Amino acid sequence: MSDERKRPSAGEEKPDQPRRYGLFGVSSTGGMQENQRKSMARWATAFVVAMAAAFLVLVVTGSTGAAGLTVTFDSQGGSEAASQSVLYGDTAEEPEDVVRVGYTLEGWSLIPDGEDLWDFSSDAVEENLTLYAVWEAQ
């Protein structure tokens, strides 16, 4: 048997062979190949992206409930309007048939005194909120 094919004895390392690190520690078979390093890096990147996506899903749906955010309507003396569940970033629907004797409904506002009316066609819901009816006497 030639010297180059000779096996090292117990406790001896192979000459000119770098230590190789495997998934569970040092391996006597040698270091990671470049393709193994790239594969591990791709796997780690994919894992991080998947975990970030899962976290985002939990934040958006988990903390607000599967149905989304709640828009509550305070008719301020008028007939009752049902609350709505709206997904983050979507628009709410304007309640219909809300009436108050002797008043005309001007719209809905984030504040009870009626400044800055809510635009149901473009204002996006980004948190749970209450809209207040704005009435004008007839």
Side-chain angles (χ1 to χ4, degrees):
M1 187 184 230
S2 68
D3 286 340
E4 60 190 54
R5 296 188 60 149
K6 187 176 174 184
R7 291 182 183 234
S9 60
E12 256 183 74
E13 287 198 35
K14 293 181 183 179
D16 301 326
Q17 289 283 331
R19 269 197 167 156
R20 294 184 179 231
Y21 297 88
L23 186 59
F24 300 107
V26 178
S27 170
S28 61
T29 60
M32 289 175 74
Q33 300 295 324
E34 183 64 23
N35 62 344
Q36 290 172 315
R37 278 192 290 278
K38 286 180 181 178
S39 177
M40 186 177 276
R42 281 191 297 268
W43 181 87
T45 301
F47 178 77
V48 169
V49 169
M51 294 305 293
F55 178 74
L56 182 60
V57 167
L58 285 174
V59 167
V60 172
T61 61
S63 64
T64 61
L69 300 165
T70 302
V71 178
T72 305
F73 297 95
D74 182 340
S75 65
Q76 301 201 90
S79 59
E80 198 166 314
S83 297
Q84 297 176 17
S85 291
V86 180
L87 293 177
Y88 179 90
D90 284 352
T91 57
E93 292 184 28
E94 186 168 7
E96 295 181 15
D97 302 327
V98 178
V99 293
R100 182 175 172 192
V101 176
Y103 292 86
T104 302
L105 180 63
E106 295 293 314
W108 298 86
S109 176
L110 284 171
I111 52 179
D113 67 8
E115 293 181 17
D116 299 322
L117 294 180
W118 185 265
D119 185 350
F120 287 91
S121 64
S122 65
D123 288 342
V125 177
E126 297 178 345
E127 61 186 353
N128 293 327
L129 55 92
T130 299
L131 293 175
Y132 299 90
V134 178
W135 299 101
E136 183 164 324
Q138 294 178 340

